[in-house]
Each structure stands twice: as structure tokens, then as C-alpha cells.
Amino acid sequence: MKDADAVRDLGKMSEVLEDYSPIQVGTAGSHAGRAFTVVGRIQLRYRAGIWNEWYLLFDDGQAGWLGDASGQFMLTIPQPNGWTRWPAFAELRPGQNYLVGDARVTASDVREADCIGGQGELPFRVGAGWQARVADFRRERDFLTLDYSDGEAPLLYKGYAVTLPELKAQLLRDEEQIKTSAGKYRGRVESLLCPSCGSAIGYLPGMATNLVCPSCTARLDATTPQVQVLEQGERAERRNMSLPLGAVAKIGNGSYRVLGAMVRVDEEGSEWSEYLMFSPTGAFFWLVETNEGWSRAQVLDAWPVPAEPASLSVSLEGIAYRKLYDYEARVEHVVGAFDWRVARGDTVRVSEFERGTARLAAEWNTDELTWTRSTPVALDQLRAWFGTSAPKLAQAQPSASPDMFGKVGRCLLWLLGLNVVPLLFNFSGVFFLLLLGALALALPAMLAPGSD
């Protein structure tokens, strides 16, 4: 049950999972010229993971919430709901546009979640069995939430996607505090034995809530006092990934660790690898390896316009991107730790858009829609980031089309043929010089690996 009469201390309510969030009760900051203090938190679990909602009190007496999920933050303020019409919760679909009040927005998340813990002071008392039904919407940096938890008439919250530097956040937990407290209610461990097959799994407690055993692919829930098996796995064929789990990259002044990795495949059978990178002081991002090379992908705070994946073009920060592809992506292989539940066979729809070397990608399923922006990363840059922690990366060669050398050879022979025709009618010593020069260029290309 939920009692909204007054701000209450939760006392003996279930303890929250101390995770990778740098925020804590007592963190202070400001937004739009108003100072605030974090005074409480609730933690919610949905079928794919957990997230935090931090309760804020502003100096002028107004309250707000700071959503915290996967290193992204959304600040919202309760608003009066004077509407007579609103979309029904059961009809909402991620990726669809809706008219909410006088704003046209895109649904990003539609979730039912259980409150699993609380801390500090909150505007209501949360008891066992309380379930939240919430839908989030986006338009560029604008963020809107409809909370259907108390019935068909939703509560309304409006706000923005923000960053901690923008909030001038102070009294944050530092990297060492996060490491020493993360996952404390189940004991601080750096590795555990898979309950399914007994193999050792290395992970950062509290910094990822779901694990996939590298040996048997069993899925494990790391948000409970006892790490539990979600789904039994089978002995998996080991894949020799370019970036091993635990490899550390030195990027700028920070250190990022490979937490998890997965191989995905599209309908045509094309495969690519994705590596989840984590730093306690930075947001998650992905390193993506395809047969065209490497790229770095970051989940977007500001969404493109329009944000519907079916659009033929979208605009981000005034720059237009044209649509490239629509396809389904399926998880073929997965290992390591993630901040949501992922398993082999999971599928999403993907729409890709391009502008120069940069790409935008919309990924969505029945629960959520996300947008990412990716830019190329040179192999030499990756080697500089990872050093000796990724030995296979040091041996990798720049990718090239398998048929490139054969095409070069055929092109040179074609040019030779064009030049031979007039020389047949003007035979001289020049012909032999031209023939020797052309063969010197064509033969190495034709004999190289990949030629035909």
C-alpha cells in the first residue's frame, strides 16, 4: 500500500541494494537556480533490471524526483493534471507518438515495477507488494512521466534529461566509496562460483545487477541477498572475443572496464560484437566491433526529432540524418555482467540513420525505446586505450575487403588491355616497357591472399 499523507522515515523497510550510483542521501545540487538536497530513495525492480528514484527537496519547499538508471539521470517535478483525456496504460507502446496535454511526445518506457527497497525520507510509506505502473515520454531533452500506480487517472511529472555536472552535484560518492559499499547487503565479493555449473565468475558487486556465466551461459540475478539462478544454461562454446572480460581501458583521466560482451546477428546472418564499458565516475557506453571496424556508441540524453523509428530522416541538434537500415537484431552469444537481464535469443528492432561517419540507432521492444549515437574508433586508438589488457587486440590487423586485391588486379589488367590495343598497330620497344611495368603492379595484387 502507499500512504501519501506526509514525509516519513522508512525505518525498518527493506534495505536498498548499494549499487554503482554516485548519488547518496545528502547529495546536494541546484537546478534552474534553485538548490536541492537528496533526502530519500526508492528502488524499483522491473523484469529486466532495477533503477533508483531519488527524492529531492528544494530550498523553496518544492519536491522533485531524480531518476537514476545506467548512468543516465532524469529530473522531474510533480505537476497538476487538469486533463480530461489521457492515453490508457494498456494502450501505450514504446516508439509511438502521443499527444499528452498540449505536447506531442514519444513513448520511451512502459513498465510495471515492484518497489524492492527504500531509504531516508519519502512523501509516502511503501509497503510490501506495492507496484508502480509508469510510462515515460521524450521530446529532445524534455522528459515526461505518467504514473498510473494509483488508478486509471495518472499522476503527471515533467522535467528534463540532466547530467550531474549540470546539476552542480556535490557530496557524491567517489570511486573508492562505490567499490567498498556496492552490493554490501549480500557481502563484498569480487568473484563467485556459478550455482549452475560451479565455474568462477568475476564481476564488480553492485555495479551490475545481472550476470551470465561465461562457461554455461546460466543467467543469474545479482540483486538478491543470495545470487540466484534465473535460467539454467548449457555448456557454451567459448568465443575468442577481441576484448576479454575485465580488460581495462585508460580513456582520458578515467578507467573503464569491460563488464559484459555479446554477439548479435541480423536476419541476413551478419554478426557483430558489443562490449559494455563501465566506470564508477562516468556513464556506460559500448564499443562495437563489426567487419567494417570499431565504433563507440553512447546512449543519448537528448533525442532526435522526430523520434519515431519509422521516420525516413531525423534531426539531432540541428543536424539531419538519413535512414539507412531497418532490421531485427538477435543476441547470439552473451557473457559477463550487465545492468539489465539479457539472454541468448533476445531480439530488438533496429533503425539506423547516417550523417557522414556518425550514426544514430533506435532500438526498441515491447518495453522500451533507446537512441544511441556512434562514431568510428581507430584500431590504434583502441590499442592505446587498452594497452596489454587486451592481447588479441594488439595482434589485430585493419579490416579489408576479402576481394580487394583481386579487384585491383583485374582493374590493372583492364587498363593494360586498353593500352595494348593501339600498341598492336604501333609496335615498338615501348610496348615491352609498358608490359613489364603493368605486370610488376598486377602480379603481386593477383597473387596476394583474397585474390581470385
Side-chain angles (χ1 to χ4, degrees):
M1 62 177 292
K2 187 172 74 172
D3 180 2
D5 291 340
V7 174
R8 313 237 179 144
D9 186 276
L10 294 185
K12 296 182 179 180
M13 187 181 172
S14 300
E15 188 178 359
V16 295
L17 170 68
E18 286 297 352
D19 55 13
Y20 49 79
S21 177
I23 303 173
Q24 60 185 334
V25 172
T27 291
S30 64
H31 177 68
R34 298 186 302 153
F36 66 80
T37 303
V38 176
V39 298
R41 159 169 61 160
I42 59 174
Q43 202 165 62
L44 298 115
R45 183 208 302 268
Y46 65 110
R47 63 180 179 179
I50 65 173
W51 84 92
N52 297 307
E53 291 285 349
W54 299 93
Y55 186 55
L56 314 179
L57 285 182
F58 289 87
D59 284 358
D60 61 6
Q62 191 175 24
W65 292 92
L66 184 62
D68 171 9
S70 302
Q72 289 191 295
F73 304 95
M74 288 69 63
L75 190 150
T76 56
I77 305 295
Q79 304 288 326
N81 184 355
W83 308 329
T84 57
R85 296 181 61 187
W86 48 80
F89 182 77
E91 297 174 357
L92 295 172
R93 299 290 183 271
Q96 298 296 313
N97 279 355
Y98 297 89
L99 188 63
V100 179
D102 57 355
R104 191 158 188 84
V105 291
T106 304
S108 59
D109 300 275
V110 181
R111 292 174 177 165
E112 295 188 24
D114 295 315
C115 184
I116 61 172
Q119 179 184 22
E121 296 181 352
L122 292 170
F124 45 74
R125 186 183 299 277
V126 180
W130 179 63
Q131 188 176 70
R133 297 195 308 157
V134 293
D136 295 331
F137 302 83
R138 300 283 194 111
R139 181 177 176 83
E140 298 181 276
R141 293 189 74 91
D142 293 345
F143 192 87
L144 183 150
T145 295
L146 293 180
D147 184 348
Y148 295 81
S149 304
D150 293 330
E152 295 304 314
L155 300 176
L156 171 64
Y157 300 83
K158 287 185 178 181
Y160 308 93
V162 295
T163 66
L164 296 183
E166 287 172 347
L167 295 177
K168 300 180 176 62
Q170 304 175 38
L171 303 178
L172 297 168
R173 296 194 299 165
D174 59 28
E175 184 171 350
E176 194 57 36
Q177 287 176 303
I178 293 172
K179 285 183 177 180
T180 55
S181 66
K184 69 178 183 182
Y185 83 173
R186 64 177 182 279
R188 294 198 307 270
V189 292
E190 291 293 333
S191 65
L192 58 86
L193 297 181
C194 173
S196 181
C197 72
S199 299
I201 305 175
Y203 79 112
L204 300 176
M207 297 183 186
T209 56
N210 296 276
L211 313 177
V212 180
C213 175
S215 297
C216 73
T217 68
R219 293 196 298 137
L220 312 177
D221 183 359
T223 65
T224 56
Q226 298 286 329
V227 174
Q228 299 182 9
V229 177
L230 291 171
E231 182 178 296
Q232 296 286 347
E234 299 177 355
R235 185 66 60 174
E237 175 187 356
R238 288 189 175 273
R239 295 215 180 193
N240 193 12
M241 309 288 283
S242 297
L243 297 177
L245 296 179
V248 176
K250 302 290 185 181
I251 303 176
N253 295 324
S255 295
Y256 287 81
R257 179 187 297 263
V258 179
L259 275 189
M262 59 181 173
V263 176
R264 297 210 285 183
V265 61
D266 64 17
E267 299 105 315
E268 297 180 354
S270 299
E271 286 190 352
W272 65 96
S273 301
E274 301 182 4
Y275 303 89
L276 179 61
M277 305 297 298
F278 169 76
S279 169
T281 56
F284 287 97
F285 72 88
W286 294 89
L287 285 175
V288 183
E289 179 185 16
T290 72
N291 59 5
E292 297 177 352
W294 289 81
S295 60
R296 174 174 175 166
Q298 190 82 48
V299 178
L300 289 174
D301 287 324
W303 278 27
V305 179
E308 285 184 299
S311 305
L312 295 179
S313 65
V314 297
S315 176
L316 179 65
E317 298 174 344
I319 299 175
Y321 292 74
R322 63 177 182 85
K323 175 169 276 190
L324 276 179
Y325 313 116
D326 274 315
Y327 57 91
E328 182 179 86
R330 185 183 76 252
V331 176
E332 188 72 12
H333 179 76
V334 57
V335 292
F338 299 85
D339 59 327
W340 80 99
R341 291 179 185 172
V342 58
R344 182 178 179 182
D346 287 353
T347 60
V348 295
R349 291 298 306 177
V350 183
S351 291
E352 287 193 37
F353 301 79
E354 181 185 53
R355 173 63 181 261
T357 60
R359 289 190 181 181
L360 302 180
E363 297 189 11
W364 74 99
N365 55 24
T366 57
D367 293 326
E368 66 178 330
L369 164 68
T370 60
W371 280 90
T372 58
R373 182 178 185 271
S374 61
T375 52
V377 179
L379 183 59
D380 287 344
Q381 179 66 77
L382 287 172
R383 289 168 174 159
W385 284 350
F386 285 94
T388 59
S389 67
K392 186 179 179 184
L393 196 64
Q395 303 167 6
Q397 299 297 321
S399 60
S401 170
D403 194 39
M404 181 182 69
F405 296 107
K407 290 178 180 177
V408 171
R410 287 193 294 271
C411 180
L412 289 172
L413 286 176
W414 176 251
L415 292 175
L416 174 62
L418 290 177
N419 283 276
V420 164
V421 173
L423 289 174
L424 290 175
F425 299 96
N426 187 23
F427 192 79
S428 70
V430 176
F431 171 78
F432 293 104
L433 294 177
L434 177 62
L435 178 62
L436 289 174
L439 289 176
L441 290 171
L443 285 176
M446 293 163 49
L447 297 176
S451 64
D452 51 15

